[in-house]
Amino acid sequence: MNKRLISSLVIGSVASIGVMAQSMAKETKNTQNVDDPYIWLEDVGGEKALEWVEKQNDKSLSYLKSKPLYKELYEKNLEVYNSDERIPYVGQMGDYFYNFWRDDENPRGLWRRTTLEEYKKESPKWEIILNLDELAEKEGENWVYKGSNCLYPTYNRCLINLSRGGADATVVREFDIESKSFVKDGFQLPEAKSNLSWIDKDTVYVGTDFGDGSMTDSGYPRVTKLWKRGEPLEIAQTIFEGNKTDVSVGAYVSHDGDEKYKIVYQGLDFYSREYYLVTDKGLVKLDRPIDSSISGIIKGQLLLELKSDWTIGDKTYKQASLLSIDIDDFVAGKKNFTEVLVPDAHTSIAGVSSTKDHVLITTLKDVSSELYRYTFKDGKWTNEKVDMPELGTLSVTGTSDEHNNFFINYQNFLTPSSLYYFDDAKDSASVLKSLPAFFDASPYKVEQKFAKAEDGTQIPYFLVMAKDTELNGKNPTLLYGYGGFEVSLRPSYSATIGIDWLEQGGVYALANIRGGGEYGPAWHQAALKKNRHIAFTDFITVAEDLIERKITDNKHLGIRGGSNGGLLVGTVATMRPDLYEAVVCQVPLLDMKRFNQLLAGASWMGEYGNPDNEDEWNYIKSYSPYHNVHKDVDYPKIFFTTSTRDDRVHPAHARKMVAKMMEQGHDLLYYENTEGGHGGAANNEQSAKLNALIYTYLVDQLMD
């Protein structure tokens, strides 16, 4: 099992916003003596701030909903999101396959399960375990399901995470699967950014807000305790304490057959961790590069993925390699590693998971997926490629350590997702379920292009467009990007892009710029901290390449990004406002002077740097959108979106940027959903609405 821990409608009640606002206020720091006239918009649930939000929402929604296209797109989107023909993806626990499902009758969702025999049928029979709509109505809360952690290997007890309105902070409650009810006086935690992990039925590791000083500057647990059933949380035994400047501290149990390994982790920054093995003699630090990742333990072999070169004696293990070592040897201090996989310049490791006897490694080769099955025997690793369609995206799901069968999802821009079932006995994969085509893909084609950056690096990007597209420089084109945190943007099927954009006559482009993980750690690290500008210039390079190839021009080019991608498009819009006619900036970071003071922002200093350090602020301020927007510059009409319930990237980033630009006289649009968390939407209806708003705006801006 891979233990890698790494990233509407007004339904929410005033009470829940108040609870959330109190929680978020504790994570918003140092507002005194800040030279910022819009600092008051950081008060998430403040009356003045919410009045301002309502005013901006009314203005933008009135404008966008007045367009005939909005209603058409909204209705089509909602039909897609609520379609019964969607694939019900599952995870296996014991003999059952579990799924979380939302539709028009169950907007908050059903947690349910079925057997493999039933799941293989076109219309499986599902056993409802928990109805979130009924729970929300009964308790008067706008609950959003945020996942569960179930007791291995029986899976009869689960720790369920419930979020108010989609925030990262959750309420945790113990749930009994067989009785389908919450356990009276069971393990439970009030709303916080917590982590709980089972040790056995009556013992868990817990990290949560224990009171003053128990959380890191990033707003995550600093202390991990061992909590026994029935005892007050206050007397739980402290296992490990990290530093306030750490990102987070936690503990979990990794299972390898009958063996159980208890591991404590200390997140020093976003990319550096210490790991400790819990032994009878205390904690034993695992001696490895702090930027390496533990990818699991199988057959006694600990898997270690390197983010940088590692020299041991006269041997250098290359960056991006996946290594293995007998865990007992490793704990004893030996370094006799075996190289499982050493990617080449065109390849990166996209995912590592395991079955009973095999390690499954998904790779990206020039941003297209390949899947390999690795086996450890007689001290050596052998591998075979799993035969799957090419030039698309593969993802492994539904693995189990009880057998060697698993699911593989395949998709590309024009091919709806197909779920394959790999049967170990047959040694092959076959299609089990397929998503229907929500739009006619036959008129379109996909091409991969490369744009040459100033330093000579070839930046790949994908184009999805009509086969008869004329290279006249006037095609409405939407360019999407992210470029951060080693996140890879891969070919994927999107019904909303097909219906809302391609069918309207648009061209879609996906940029694989540096800062992402498309070519492994080096691709990511090229745009870290003082080199952040490389991500921005790569994106601009792709935009200019689209224009040079006469796909589009600056009057028909729009860009879109969210979160770190919101920072990306916000930055390039201020750097090169002449290059774009439309900008969709979602749940963004924009005030890079205060990002580390807002919510989880301190955890991202490993990516951007520390703005409180003068040397680092000197390069951060050169691109911080909030500090580089000016009254006398013509900007495109930007559409900003965020969520009141986003407790990861503070909504004040978007709020303050909008307020400043409005005062400077710039025309723009702003929409803040009161639910949705960092995803921007908490249910299917909200997702349908948000996308309809965005594409109505894009069509209005880019299509003559």
Side-chain angles (χ1 to χ4, degrees), residues 561-567 585-589 640-643 646 649-651 653-654 677-680:
S563 191
N564 173 76
L567 169 63
C585 187
Q586 297 180 254
V587 290
L589 287 89
F640 295 91
T641 75
T642 189
S643 165
D646 189 345
V649 176
H650 202 295
H653 282 279
H678 192 52

Side-chain angles (χ1 to χ4, degrees), residues 253-488:
V253 177
S254 182
H255 297 273
D256 178 25
D258 295 332
E259 295 294 327
K260 182 161 61 174
Y261 299 95
K262 302 172 185 177
I263 297 174
V264 171
Y265 64 89
Q266 178 187 13
L268 306 176
D269 60 32
F270 204 84
Y271 303 107
S272 302
R273 287 189 171 193
E274 295 286 11
Y275 287 96
Y276 303 85
L277 187 66
V278 182
T279 71
D280 293 339
K281 297 180 180 179
L283 300 182
V284 176
K285 182 188 289 188
L286 300 182
D287 183 16
R288 18 119 354 241
I290 59 174
D291 64 347
S292 62
S293 300
I294 293 178
S295 297
I297 304 171
I298 181 171
K299 299 297 182 182
Q301 292 287 306
L302 180 139
L303 298 171
L304 192 68
E305 189 174 344
L306 300 184
K307 303 298 182 184
S308 55
D309 288 350
W310 188 19
T311 299
I312 303 173
D314 58 358
K315 170 68 174 178
T316 296
Y317 296 101
K318 291 184 178 181
Q319 179 185 53
S321 298
L322 182 66
L323 311 179
S324 79
I325 189 171
D326 181 278
I327 189 167
D328 292 331
D329 286 350
F330 188 41
V331 172
K334 296 182 181 180
K335 297 291 191 299
N336 51 327
F337 286 95
T338 299
E339 292 172 318
V340 183
L341 173 61
V342 182
D344 61 28
H346 293 272
T347 307
S348 66
I349 296 175
V352 180
S353 56
S354 61
T355 62
K356 180 181 179 182
D357 299 308
H358 306 291
V359 173
L360 305 173
I361 303 178
T362 307
T363 65
L364 286 184
K365 188 169 185 177
D366 284 329
V367 206
S368 290
S369 294
E370 296 179 343
L371 177 61
Y372 295 86
R373 188 169 60 157
Y374 281 72
T375 306
F376 187 74
K377 187 176 181 180
D378 299 328
K380 296 181 180 180
W381 288 95
T382 58
N383 72 83
E384 57 183 342
K385 186 177 181 180
V386 178
D387 186 22
M388 291 292 294
E390 297 181 344
L391 301 178
T393 296
L394 300 173
S395 53
V396 174
T397 182
T399 58
S400 171
D401 60 4
E402 296 179 359
H403 54 73
N404 292 312
N405 305 326
F406 55 94
F407 297 96
I408 316 165
N409 192 71
Y410 173 83
Q411 61 180 320
N412 62 33
F413 291 109
L414 299 178
T415 304
S417 292
S418 292
L419 186 65
Y420 289 72
Y421 185 65
F422 186 93
D423 190 325
D424 183 59
K426 297 179 180 178
D427 196 31
S428 64
S430 58
V431 176
L432 190 62
K433 298 182 182 296
S434 293
L435 191 71
F438 287 111
F439 66 95
D440 181 8
S442 62
Y444 308 107
K445 63 180 179 179
V446 178
E447 296 180 357
Q448 186 179 39
K449 304 291 186 182
F450 291 83
K452 189 174 182 179
E454 288 184 7
D455 63 2
T457 303
Q458 296 291 323
I459 311 301
Y461 67 94
F462 291 99
L463 276 173
V464 189
M465 56 188 175
K467 295 175 181 176
D468 60 358
T469 298
E470 295 183 20
L471 301 183
N472 57 14
K474 297 188 181 299
N475 298 292
T477 301
L478 174 61
L479 174 61
Y480 187 90
Y482 188 79
F485 295 93
E486 207 176 341
V487 172
S488 302

Side-chain angles (χ1 to χ4, degrees), residues 72 199 268 690:
E72 175 188 337
I199 300 173
L268 306 176
L690 182 60

